[in-house]
Amino acid sequence: MSDHVYKIVELAGSSQKGLEDAICGAIKRADKTLRNLRWFEVVQIRGHVKDGEPCHYQVILKAGFTLDGEEG
């Protein structure tokens, strides 16, 4: 197993559909501008309640990517 150095960024994703959609949206968007994304960690979950039901979800996540020149 190789040793790696990762840069870590914090992202916020949101969705009316659910947590998984919020996570996927944040990762897909970040992948458009960041190269070599390798992992993510959800660090916060929150949402909005309307009429006693969850209606909007938000996740804060950390995403790690390898620096240029490192193989994944």
Short mmCIF file of all heavy atoms in Angstrom, two decimals:
data_model
loop_
_atom_site.label_atom_id
_atom_site.label_comp_id
_atom_site.label_asym_id
_atom_site.label_seq_id
_atom_site.Cartn_x
_atom_site.Cartn_y
_atom_site.Cartn_z
N MET A 1 0.84 -1.19 0.00
CA MET A 1 0.00 0.00 0.00
C MET A 1 0.87 1.24 0.00
O MET A 1 1.81 1.35 0.78
CB MET A 1 -0.91 -0.02 1.23
CG MET A 1 -1.88 1.09 1.27
SD MET A 1 -3.05 0.79 2.61
CE MET A 1 -3.75 2.39 2.71
N SER A 2 0.56 2.17 -0.88
CA SER A 2 1.35 3.39 -1.01
C SER A 2 0.93 4.42 0.03
O SER A 2 -0.20 4.45 0.48
CB SER A 2 1.15 3.99 -2.40
OG SER A 2 1.52 3.09 -3.39
N ASP A 3 1.86 5.28 0.38
CA ASP A 3 1.55 6.43 1.22
C ASP A 3 1.08 7.56 0.32
O ASP A 3 1.57 7.74 -0.79
CB ASP A 3 2.79 6.88 2.00
CG ASP A 3 3.24 5.85 3.02
OD1 ASP A 3 2.38 5.08 3.48
OD2 ASP A 3 4.43 5.82 3.33
N HIS A 4 0.11 8.34 0.79
CA HIS A 4 -0.42 9.45 0.02
C HIS A 4 -0.50 10.68 0.89
O HIS A 4 -0.60 10.60 2.11
CB HIS A 4 -1.83 9.14 -0.49
CG HIS A 4 -1.89 8.01 -1.44
ND1 HIS A 4 -1.40 8.07 -2.72
CD2 HIS A 4 -2.39 6.76 -1.30
CE1 HIS A 4 -1.60 6.93 -3.33
NE2 HIS A 4 -2.20 6.10 -2.49
N VAL A 5 -0.50 11.83 0.24
CA VAL A 5 -0.79 13.11 0.87
C VAL A 5 -2.09 13.58 0.26
O VAL A 5 -2.27 13.56 -0.96
CB VAL A 5 0.33 14.13 0.61
CG1 VAL A 5 -0.06 15.50 1.13
CG2 VAL A 5 1.63 13.65 1.25
N TYR A 6 -3.03 13.98 1.11
CA TYR A 6 -4.33 14.42 0.64
C TYR A 6 -4.57 15.88 0.99
O TYR A 6 -4.18 16.34 2.07
CB TYR A 6 -5.47 13.61 1.29
CG TYR A 6 -5.46 12.15 0.92
CD1 TYR A 6 -4.84 11.22 1.73
CD2 TYR A 6 -6.09 11.72 -0.24
CE1 TYR A 6 -4.84 9.88 1.39
CE2 TYR A 6 -6.09 10.38 -0.58
CZ TYR A 6 -5.47 9.47 0.23
OH TYR A 6 -5.47 8.14 -0.10
N LYS A 7 -5.21 16.58 0.10
CA LYS A 7 -5.75 17.90 0.38
C LYS A 7 -7.21 17.66 0.76
O LYS A 7 -7.89 16.85 0.13
CB LYS A 7 -5.67 18.79 -0.87
CG LYS A 7 -6.34 20.12 -0.74
CD LYS A 7 -5.57 21.05 0.16
CE LYS A 7 -6.26 22.43 0.15
NZ LYS A 7 -5.68 23.29 1.15
N ILE A 8 -7.70 18.32 1.80
CA ILE A 8 -9.06 18.11 2.28
C ILE A 8 -9.84 19.42 2.14
O ILE A 8 -9.38 20.48 2.54
CB ILE A 8 -9.06 17.64 3.74
CG1 ILE A 8 -8.32 16.31 3.86
CG2 ILE A 8 -10.49 17.50 4.26
CD1 ILE A 8 -8.06 15.88 5.28
N VAL A 9 -11.03 19.31 1.54
CA VAL A 9 -11.92 20.46 1.41
C VAL A 9 -13.24 20.14 2.09
O VAL A 9 -13.60 18.98 2.27
CB VAL A 9 -12.17 20.83 -0.07
CG1 VAL A 9 -10.88 21.29 -0.74
CG2 VAL A 9 -12.80 19.69 -0.83
N GLU A 10 -13.96 21.18 2.47
CA GLU A 10 -15.27 21.01 3.08
C GLU A 10 -16.34 21.43 2.08
O GLU A 10 -16.22 22.48 1.44
CB GLU A 10 -15.37 21.84 4.36
CG GLU A 10 -16.57 21.51 5.20
CD GLU A 10 -16.50 22.15 6.57
OE1 GLU A 10 -16.75 23.36 6.66
OE2 GLU A 10 -16.18 21.43 7.53
N LEU A 11 -17.38 20.62 1.95
CA LEU A 11 -18.45 20.86 1.00
C LEU A 11 -19.79 20.82 1.71
O LEU A 11 -19.93 20.12 2.72
CB LEU A 11 -18.46 19.78 -0.08
CG LEU A 11 -17.17 19.52 -0.85
CD1 LEU A 11 -17.28 18.24 -1.65
CD2 LEU A 11 -16.87 20.71 -1.75
N ALA A 12 -20.76 21.51 1.18
CA ALA A 12 -22.14 21.43 1.67
C ALA A 12 -23.02 21.05 0.49
O ALA A 12 -22.95 21.67 -0.57
CB ALA A 12 -22.60 22.76 2.26
N GLY A 13 -23.83 20.02 0.69
CA GLY A 13 -24.76 19.59 -0.34
C GLY A 13 -26.17 19.61 0.23
O GLY A 13 -26.37 19.37 1.41
N SER A 14 -27.15 19.89 -0.62
CA SER A 14 -28.52 19.91 -0.15
C SER A 14 -29.44 19.29 -1.20
O SER A 14 -29.12 19.26 -2.39
CB SER A 14 -28.98 21.32 0.20
OG SER A 14 -29.02 22.12 -0.95
N SER A 15 -30.57 18.78 -0.73
CA SER A 15 -31.53 18.14 -1.62
C SER A 15 -32.88 18.05 -0.94
O SER A 15 -32.97 17.86 0.28
CB SER A 15 -31.06 16.73 -1.98
OG SER A 15 -32.06 16.02 -2.68
N GLN A 16 -33.92 18.11 -1.73
CA GLN A 16 -35.26 17.86 -1.21
C GLN A 16 -35.58 16.36 -1.24
O GLN A 16 -36.52 15.92 -0.60
CB GLN A 16 -36.30 18.62 -2.03
CG GLN A 16 -36.20 20.11 -1.84
CD GLN A 16 -37.23 20.87 -2.66
OE1 GLN A 16 -37.66 20.42 -3.71
NE2 GLN A 16 -37.63 22.03 -2.16
N LYS A 17 -34.78 15.58 -1.97
CA LYS A 17 -35.04 14.15 -2.11
C LYS A 17 -34.53 13.32 -0.94
O LYS A 17 -35.15 12.33 -0.58
CB LYS A 17 -34.41 13.63 -3.40
CG LYS A 17 -35.03 14.22 -4.65
CD LYS A 17 -34.36 13.70 -5.88
CE LYS A 17 -34.91 14.35 -7.13
NZ LYS A 17 -34.21 13.87 -8.33
N GLY A 18 -33.35 13.68 -0.39
CA GLY A 18 -32.82 12.90 0.72
C GLY A 18 -31.32 13.09 0.90
O GLY A 18 -30.67 13.81 0.15
N LEU A 19 -30.80 12.40 1.92
CA LEU A 19 -29.39 12.53 2.27
C LEU A 19 -28.46 12.04 1.17
O LEU A 19 -27.47 12.69 0.85
CB LEU A 19 -29.10 11.77 3.56
CG LEU A 19 -29.80 12.30 4.81
CD1 LEU A 19 -29.59 11.35 5.97
CD2 LEU A 19 -29.30 13.69 5.15
N GLU A 20 -28.77 10.88 0.61
CA GLU A 20 -27.91 10.33 -0.44
C GLU A 20 -27.83 11.27 -1.63
O GLU A 20 -26.74 11.48 -2.20
CB GLU A 20 -28.40 8.96 -0.88
CG GLU A 20 -27.47 8.29 -1.87
CD GLU A 20 -27.90 6.88 -2.23
OE1 GLU A 20 -28.76 6.30 -1.54
OE2 GLU A 20 -27.35 6.35 -3.21
N ASP A 21 -28.92 11.87 -2.01
CA ASP A 21 -28.94 12.80 -3.12
C ASP A 21 -28.13 14.06 -2.79
O ASP A 21 -27.44 14.59 -3.66
CB ASP A 21 -30.38 13.18 -3.46
CG ASP A 21 -30.52 13.81 -4.83
OD1 ASP A 21 -30.11 13.16 -5.81
OD2 ASP A 21 -31.02 14.95 -4.90
N ALA A 22 -28.18 14.51 -1.54
CA ALA A 22 -27.39 15.67 -1.12
C ALA A 22 -25.90 15.37 -1.19
O ALA A 22 -25.10 16.19 -1.65
CB ALA A 22 -27.79 16.10 0.29
N ILE A 23 -25.51 14.17 -0.75
CA ILE A 23 -24.10 13.75 -0.80
C ILE A 23 -23.63 13.65 -2.25
O ILE A 23 -22.60 14.20 -2.64
CB ILE A 23 -23.90 12.42 -0.07
CG1 ILE A 23 -24.14 12.58 1.42
CG2 ILE A 23 -22.50 11.86 -0.34
CD1 ILE A 23 -24.28 11.27 2.18
N CYS A 24 -24.41 12.93 -3.06
CA CYS A 24 -24.03 12.73 -4.46
C CYS A 24 -23.93 14.05 -5.21
O CYS A 24 -23.02 14.24 -6.02
CB CYS A 24 -25.01 11.80 -5.15
SG CYS A 24 -24.87 10.09 -4.60
N GLY A 25 -24.85 14.96 -4.95
CA GLY A 25 -24.80 16.27 -5.60
C GLY A 25 -23.54 17.04 -5.27
O GLY A 25 -22.92 17.65 -6.15
N ALA A 26 -23.15 17.02 -4.00
CA ALA A 26 -21.93 17.73 -3.59
C ALA A 26 -20.69 17.11 -4.23
O ALA A 26 -19.83 17.83 -4.74
CB ALA A 26 -21.81 17.72 -2.07
N ILE A 27 -20.62 15.79 -4.24
CA ILE A 27 -19.45 15.11 -4.81
C ILE A 27 -19.39 15.31 -6.32
O ILE A 27 -18.32 15.61 -6.88
CB ILE A 27 -19.47 13.61 -4.46
CG1 ILE A 27 -19.31 13.40 -2.96
CG2 ILE A 27 -18.41 12.85 -5.25
CD1 ILE A 27 -17.98 13.85 -2.39
N LYS A 28 -20.51 15.16 -7.00
CA LYS A 28 -20.52 15.33 -8.46
C LYS A 28 -20.12 16.75 -8.85
O LYS A 28 -19.38 16.95 -9.82
CB LYS A 28 -21.90 15.00 -9.02
CG LYS A 28 -22.18 13.52 -9.07
CD LYS A 28 -23.56 13.24 -9.62
CE LYS A 28 -23.84 11.74 -9.57
NZ LYS A 28 -25.19 11.43 -10.07
N ARG A 29 -20.60 17.72 -8.09
CA ARG A 29 -20.23 19.12 -8.41
C ARG A 29 -18.75 19.38 -8.15
O ARG A 29 -18.06 20.00 -8.95
CB ARG A 29 -21.10 20.08 -7.60
CG ARG A 29 -20.77 21.54 -7.79
CD ARG A 29 -20.92 21.96 -9.27
NE ARG A 29 -20.48 23.31 -9.48
CZ ARG A 29 -19.22 23.66 -9.80
NH1 ARG A 29 -18.30 22.73 -9.95
NH2 ARG A 29 -18.91 24.92 -9.97
N ALA A 30 -18.24 18.87 -7.03
CA ALA A 30 -16.83 19.07 -6.71
C ALA A 30 -15.93 18.38 -7.74
O ALA A 30 -14.86 18.89 -8.09
CB ALA A 30 -16.53 18.53 -5.32
N ASP A 31 -16.38 17.25 -8.26
CA ASP A 31 -15.58 16.49 -9.23
C ASP A 31 -15.40 17.26 -10.55
O ASP A 31 -14.49 16.97 -11.30
CB ASP A 31 -16.24 15.14 -9.50
CG ASP A 31 -15.34 14.20 -10.27
OD1 ASP A 31 -14.19 13.97 -9.81
OD2 ASP A 31 -15.76 13.69 -11.33
N LYS A 32 -16.23 18.25 -10.79
CA LYS A 32 -16.09 19.06 -12.00
C LYS A 32 -14.88 19.99 -11.94
O LYS A 32 -14.37 20.40 -12.98
CB LYS A 32 -17.35 19.88 -12.26
CG LYS A 32 -18.54 19.04 -12.66
CD LYS A 32 -19.75 19.91 -12.92
CE LYS A 32 -20.93 19.06 -13.35
NZ LYS A 32 -22.10 19.88 -13.69
N THR A 33 -14.46 20.36 -10.72
CA THR A 33 -13.35 21.32 -10.60
C THR A 33 -12.15 20.78 -9.83
O THR A 33 -11.09 21.39 -9.88
CB THR A 33 -13.82 22.63 -9.94
OG1 THR A 33 -14.40 22.33 -8.67
CG2 THR A 33 -14.85 23.34 -10.80
N LEU A 34 -12.33 19.69 -9.11
CA LEU A 34 -11.22 19.09 -8.36
C LEU A 34 -10.80 17.79 -9.03
O LEU A 34 -11.65 16.98 -9.38
CB LEU A 34 -11.63 18.80 -6.91
CG LEU A 34 -12.03 20.00 -6.06
CD1 LEU A 34 -12.57 19.52 -4.72
CD2 LEU A 34 -10.85 20.94 -5.88
N ARG A 35 -9.52 17.59 -9.17
CA ARG A 35 -9.01 16.33 -9.74
C ARG A 35 -8.67 15.37 -8.61
O ARG A 35 -8.35 15.77 -7.50
CB ARG A 35 -7.76 16.59 -10.57
CG ARG A 35 -8.02 17.39 -11.82
CD ARG A 35 -6.79 17.48 -12.70
NE ARG A 35 -5.65 18.09 -12.04
CZ ARG A 35 -5.41 19.39 -12.00
NH1 ARG A 35 -6.25 20.23 -12.57
NH2 ARG A 35 -4.35 19.86 -11.40
N ASN A 36 -8.73 14.09 -8.91
CA ASN A 36 -8.24 13.03 -8.03
C ASN A 36 -9.02 12.89 -6.72
O ASN A 36 -8.44 12.55 -5.68
CB ASN A 36 -6.74 13.22 -7.72
CG ASN A 36 -5.90 13.39 -8.96
OD1 ASN A 36 -6.08 12.68 -9.93
ND2 ASN A 36 -4.99 14.35 -8.93
N LEU A 37 -10.34 13.14 -6.73
CA LEU A 37 -11.13 12.91 -5.53
C LEU A 37 -11.05 11.44 -5.15
O LEU A 37 -11.16 10.56 -6.00
CB LEU A 37 -12.60 13.27 -5.76
CG LEU A 37 -12.95 14.75 -5.68
CD1 LEU A 37 -14.39 14.97 -6.10
CD2 LEU A 37 -12.73 15.29 -4.29
N ARG A 38 -10.83 11.15 -3.86
CA ARG A 38 -10.62 9.78 -3.43
C ARG A 38 -11.59 9.32 -2.33
O ARG A 38 -11.88 8.15 -2.22
CB ARG A 38 -9.19 9.59 -2.92
CG ARG A 38 -8.13 9.84 -3.94
CD ARG A 38 -8.14 8.74 -5.00
NE ARG A 38 -7.06 8.95 -5.93
CZ ARG A 38 -7.23 9.13 -7.22
NH1 ARG A 38 -8.43 9.11 -7.75
NH2 ARG A 38 -6.20 9.34 -8.00
N TRP A 39 -12.05 10.22 -1.46
CA TRP A 39 -12.90 9.80 -0.34
C TRP A 39 -13.72 10.98 0.16
O TRP A 39 -13.44 12.12 -0.17
CB TRP A 39 -12.07 9.19 0.79
CG TRP A 39 -11.00 10.08 1.34
CD1 TRP A 39 -9.69 10.10 0.98
CD2 TRP A 39 -11.14 11.08 2.36
NE1 TRP A 39 -9.00 11.06 1.69
CE2 TRP A 39 -9.87 11.67 2.56
CE3 TRP A 39 -12.19 11.53 3.12
CZ2 TRP A 39 -9.66 12.69 3.47
CZ3 TRP A 39 -11.97 12.56 4.03
CH2 TRP A 39 -10.71 13.11 4.20
N PHE A 40 -14.73 10.65 0.95
CA PHE A 40 -15.51 11.69 1.63
C PHE A 40 -15.94 11.18 2.99
O PHE A 40 -15.99 9.98 3.24
CB PHE A 40 -16.74 12.12 0.80
CG PHE A 40 -17.84 11.11 0.75
CD1 PHE A 40 -18.86 11.13 1.68
CD2 PHE A 40 -17.86 10.13 -0.22
CE1 PHE A 40 -19.88 10.20 1.65
CE2 PHE A 40 -18.87 9.20 -0.28
CZ PHE A 40 -19.89 9.23 0.66
N GLU A 41 -16.25 12.13 3.86
CA GLU A 41 -16.73 11.84 5.22
C GLU A 41 -17.83 12.83 5.55
O GLU A 41 -17.62 14.04 5.47
CB GLU A 41 -15.58 11.99 6.21
CG GLU A 41 -16.00 11.90 7.66
CD GLU A 41 -14.88 12.27 8.63
OE1 GLU A 41 -13.81 12.73 8.19
OE2 GLU A 41 -15.10 12.10 9.83
N VAL A 42 -19.00 12.34 5.89
CA VAL A 42 -20.09 13.22 6.30
C VAL A 42 -19.84 13.63 7.75
O VAL A 42 -19.68 12.78 8.62
CB VAL A 42 -21.46 12.52 6.16
CG1 VAL A 42 -22.57 13.41 6.71
CG2 VAL A 42 -21.73 12.15 4.71
N VAL A 43 -19.78 14.94 8.00
CA VAL A 43 -19.48 15.42 9.35
C VAL A 43 -20.68 16.09 10.02
O VAL A 43 -20.71 16.21 11.24
CB VAL A 43 -18.25 16.37 9.36
CG1 VAL A 43 -16.99 15.61 8.96
CG2 VAL A 43 -18.45 17.56 8.46
N GLN A 44 -21.68 16.50 9.23
CA GLN A 44 -22.89 17.08 9.81
C GLN A 44 -24.08 16.75 8.92
O GLN A 44 -23.95 16.70 7.69
CB GLN A 44 -22.80 18.61 9.90
CG GLN A 44 -21.82 19.13 10.90
CD GLN A 44 -21.84 20.66 10.93
OE1 GLN A 44 -22.81 21.31 10.56
NE2 GLN A 44 -20.73 21.23 11.36
N ILE A 45 -25.21 16.54 9.55
CA ILE A 45 -26.47 16.36 8.83
C ILE A 45 -27.50 17.28 9.47
O ILE A 45 -27.60 17.35 10.69
CB ILE A 45 -26.98 14.91 8.92
CG1 ILE A 45 -25.97 13.94 8.30
CG2 ILE A 45 -28.34 14.77 8.26
CD1 ILE A 45 -26.32 12.48 8.53
N ARG A 46 -28.24 17.99 8.64
CA ARG A 46 -29.32 18.82 9.16
C ARG A 46 -30.43 18.87 8.13
O ARG A 46 -30.25 18.42 7.00
CB ARG A 46 -28.83 20.23 9.51
CG ARG A 46 -28.35 21.04 8.34
CD ARG A 46 -27.96 22.46 8.76
NE ARG A 46 -26.87 22.48 9.68
CZ ARG A 46 -25.59 22.61 9.36
NH1 ARG A 46 -25.24 22.74 8.10
NH2 ARG A 46 -24.67 22.64 10.27
N GLY A 47 -31.55 19.40 8.51
CA GLY A 47 -32.65 19.47 7.57
C GLY A 47 -33.69 20.49 8.01
O GLY A 47 -33.60 21.07 9.09
N HIS A 48 -34.65 20.66 7.15
CA HIS A 48 -35.75 21.59 7.38
C HIS A 48 -37.03 20.79 7.55
O HIS A 48 -37.27 19.82 6.82
CB HIS A 48 -35.86 22.55 6.19
CG HIS A 48 -36.95 23.56 6.32
ND1 HIS A 48 -36.87 24.63 7.17
CD2 HIS A 48 -38.15 23.64 5.73
CE1 HIS A 48 -37.98 25.35 7.08
NE2 HIS A 48 -38.78 24.76 6.21
N VAL A 49 -37.84 21.18 8.50
CA VAL A 49 -39.11 20.50 8.76
C VAL A 49 -40.25 21.43 8.39
O VAL A 49 -40.25 22.62 8.74
CB VAL A 49 -39.22 20.11 10.26
CG1 VAL A 49 -40.56 19.47 10.55
CG2 VAL A 49 -38.08 19.18 10.65
N LYS A 50 -41.23 20.88 7.68
CA LYS A 50 -42.43 21.64 7.31
C LYS A 50 -43.65 20.75 7.55
O LYS A 50 -43.67 19.61 7.08
CB LYS A 50 -42.36 22.07 5.85
CG LYS A 50 -43.53 22.94 5.43
CD LYS A 50 -43.35 23.42 4.01
CE LYS A 50 -44.52 24.30 3.61
NZ LYS A 50 -44.36 24.79 2.24
N ASP A 51 -44.59 21.25 8.29
CA ASP A 51 -45.81 20.50 8.61
C ASP A 51 -45.51 19.15 9.24
O ASP A 51 -46.13 18.14 8.92
CB ASP A 51 -46.69 20.32 7.36
CG ASP A 51 -47.15 21.65 6.78
OD1 ASP A 51 -47.41 22.59 7.58
OD2 ASP A 51 -47.26 21.76 5.55
N GLY A 52 -44.49 19.10 10.09
CA GLY A 52 -44.14 17.89 10.81
C GLY A 52 -43.40 16.85 10.00
O GLY A 52 -43.19 15.73 10.47
N GLU A 53 -42.95 17.19 8.79
CA GLU A 53 -42.24 16.25 7.93
C GLU A 53 -40.92 16.85 7.45
O GLU A 53 -40.86 18.05 7.16
CB GLU A 53 -43.08 15.92 6.68
CG GLU A 53 -44.39 15.22 6.97
CD GLU A 53 -44.19 13.77 7.39
OE1 GLU A 53 -43.20 13.15 6.96
OE2 GLU A 53 -45.03 13.28 8.17
N PRO A 54 -39.86 16.03 7.34
CA PRO A 54 -38.63 16.53 6.74
C PRO A 54 -38.90 16.90 5.28
O PRO A 54 -39.54 16.14 4.56
CB PRO A 54 -37.67 15.34 6.81
CG PRO A 54 -38.30 14.33 7.69
CD PRO A 54 -39.76 14.63 7.74
N CYS A 55 -38.44 18.07 4.88
CA CYS A 55 -38.70 18.49 3.50
C CYS A 55 -37.45 18.93 2.76
O CYS A 55 -37.49 19.15 1.55
CB CYS A 55 -39.76 19.58 3.45
SG CYS A 55 -39.27 21.11 4.23
N HIS A 56 -36.34 19.10 3.45
CA HIS A 56 -35.09 19.49 2.81
C HIS A 56 -33.94 18.98 3.67
O HIS A 56 -33.97 19.10 4.89
CB HIS A 56 -35.01 21.01 2.67
CG HIS A 56 -34.07 21.45 1.60
ND1 HIS A 56 -34.49 21.82 0.36
CD2 HIS A 56 -32.73 21.55 1.58
CE1 HIS A 56 -33.45 22.14 -0.38
NE2 HIS A 56 -32.37 21.98 0.35
N TYR A 57 -32.94 18.41 3.03
CA TYR A 57 -31.80 17.82 3.73
C TYR A 57 -30.52 18.55 3.35
O TYR A 57 -30.36 18.95 2.19
CB TYR A 57 -31.65 16.35 3.34
CG TYR A 57 -32.90 15.55 3.60
CD1 TYR A 57 -33.93 15.51 2.66
CD2 TYR A 57 -33.07 14.86 4.78
CE1 TYR A 57 -35.08 14.78 2.90
CE2 TYR A 57 -34.23 14.13 5.03
CZ TYR A 57 -35.22 14.10 4.08
OH TYR A 57 -36.36 13.39 4.32
N GLN A 58 -29.62 18.71 4.32
CA GLN A 58 -28.32 19.30 4.05
C GLN A 58 -27.25 18.48 4.74
O GLN A 58 -27.42 18.06 5.90
CB GLN A 58 -28.24 20.75 4.54
CG GLN A 58 -26.90 21.40 4.18
CD GLN A 58 -26.79 22.82 4.71
OE1 GLN A 58 -26.98 23.05 5.90
NE2 GLN A 58 -26.46 23.75 3.84
N VAL A 59 -26.16 18.24 4.04
CA VAL A 59 -25.01 17.55 4.62
C VAL A 59 -23.77 18.41 4.47
O VAL A 59 -23.62 19.12 3.47
CB VAL A 59 -24.76 16.17 3.96
CG1 VAL A 59 -25.90 15.22 4.22
CG2 VAL A 59 -24.50 16.30 2.48
N ILE A 60 -22.94 18.38 5.47
CA ILE A 60 -21.61 18.97 5.38
C ILE A 60 -20.65 17.80 5.33
O ILE A 60 -20.73 16.87 6.16
CB ILE A 60 -21.28 19.86 6.61
CG1 ILE A 60 -22.36 20.94 6.81
CG2 ILE A 60 -19.89 20.46 6.49
CD1 ILE A 60 -22.48 21.92 5.68
N LEU A 61 -19.76 17.80 4.35
CA LEU A 61 -18.83 16.69 4.25
C LEU A 61 -17.43 17.18 3.95
O LEU A 61 -17.25 18.27 3.43
CB LEU A 61 -19.30 15.67 3.21
CG LEU A 61 -19.66 16.15 1.82
CD1 LEU A 61 -18.48 16.01 0.88
CD2 LEU A 61 -20.81 15.32 1.31
N LYS A 62 -16.47 16.38 4.33
CA LYS A 62 -15.08 16.61 3.97
C LYS A 62 -14.76 15.66 2.84
O LYS A 62 -15.18 14.50 2.85
CB LYS A 62 -14.16 16.33 5.15
CG LYS A 62 -14.32 17.32 6.28
CD LYS A 62 -13.35 17.04 7.39
CE LYS A 62 -13.56 18.05 8.52
NZ LYS A 62 -12.62 17.82 9.62
N ALA A 63 -14.05 16.17 1.85
CA ALA A 63 -13.64 15.35 0.72
C ALA A 63 -12.14 15.46 0.57
O ALA A 63 -11.56 16.54 0.70
CB ALA A 63 -14.34 15.82 -0.56
N GLY A 64 -11.51 14.32 0.31
CA GLY A 64 -10.05 14.29 0.15
C GLY A 64 -9.67 13.95 -1.27
O GLY A 64 -10.31 13.12 -1.92
N PHE A 65 -8.64 14.62 -1.76
CA PHE A 65 -8.12 14.30 -3.07
C PHE A 65 -6.60 14.29 -3.02
O PHE A 65 -5.98 14.99 -2.21
CB PHE A 65 -8.64 15.26 -4.15
CG PHE A 65 -8.32 16.72 -3.91
CD1 PHE A 65 -7.22 17.31 -4.49
CD2 PHE A 65 -9.16 17.50 -3.12
CE1 PHE A 65 -6.94 18.66 -4.29
CE2 PHE A 65 -8.90 18.85 -2.91
CZ PHE A 65 -7.78 19.42 -3.49
N THR A 66 -6.01 13.44 -3.86
CA THR A 66 -4.56 13.37 -3.91
C THR A 66 -4.03 14.55 -4.72
O THR A 66 -4.70 15.06 -5.62
CB THR A 66 -4.07 12.05 -4.53
OG1 THR A 66 -4.66 11.89 -5.81
CG2 THR A 66 -4.39 10.87 -3.64
N LEU A 67 -2.85 14.96 -4.36
CA LEU A 67 -2.21 16.06 -5.06
C LEU A 67 -1.69 15.58 -6.40
O LEU A 67 -1.43 14.38 -6.58
CB LEU A 67 -1.07 16.63 -4.22
CG LEU A 67 -1.52 17.15 -2.83
CD1 LEU A 67 -0.29 17.53 -2.00
CD2 LEU A 67 -2.47 18.30 -2.96
N ASP A 68 -1.57 16.47 -7.37
CA ASP A 68 -1.06 16.08 -8.70
C ASP A 68 0.27 15.34 -8.55
O ASP A 68 1.10 15.68 -7.71
CB ASP A 68 -0.87 17.30 -9.57
CG ASP A 68 -2.19 17.81 -10.13
OD1 ASP A 68 -3.17 17.08 -10.09
OD2 ASP A 68 -2.19 18.96 -10.62
N GLY A 69 0.42 14.32 -9.38
CA GLY A 69 1.65 13.55 -9.37
C GLY A 69 1.59 12.30 -8.52
O GLY A 69 2.50 11.50 -8.52
N GLU A 70 0.49 12.10 -7.76
CA GLU A 70 0.32 10.90 -6.94
C GLU A 70 -0.72 10.00 -7.59
O GLU A 70 -1.76 10.46 -8.01
CB GLU A 70 -0.14 11.25 -5.53
CG GLU A 70 0.91 11.93 -4.70
CD GLU A 70 0.54 11.97 -3.24
OE1 GLU A 70 -0.09 11.01 -2.77
OE2 GLU A 70 0.88 12.95 -2.60
N GLU A 71 -0.44 8.74 -7.66
CA GLU A 71 -1.40 7.77 -8.21
C GLU A 71 -2.30 7.31 -7.09
O GLU A 71 -1.91 7.21 -5.94
CB GLU A 71 -0.66 6.59 -8.82
CG GLU A 71 0.19 6.99 -10.01
CD GLU A 71 -0.60 7.61 -11.15
OE1 GLU A 71 -1.68 7.09 -11.45
OE2 GLU A 71 -0.15 8.60 -11.71
N GLY A 72 -3.58 6.98 -7.41
CA GLY A 72 -4.56 6.63 -6.42
C GLY A 72 -4.70 5.18 -6.21
O GLY A 72 -5.32 4.65 -5.39
#
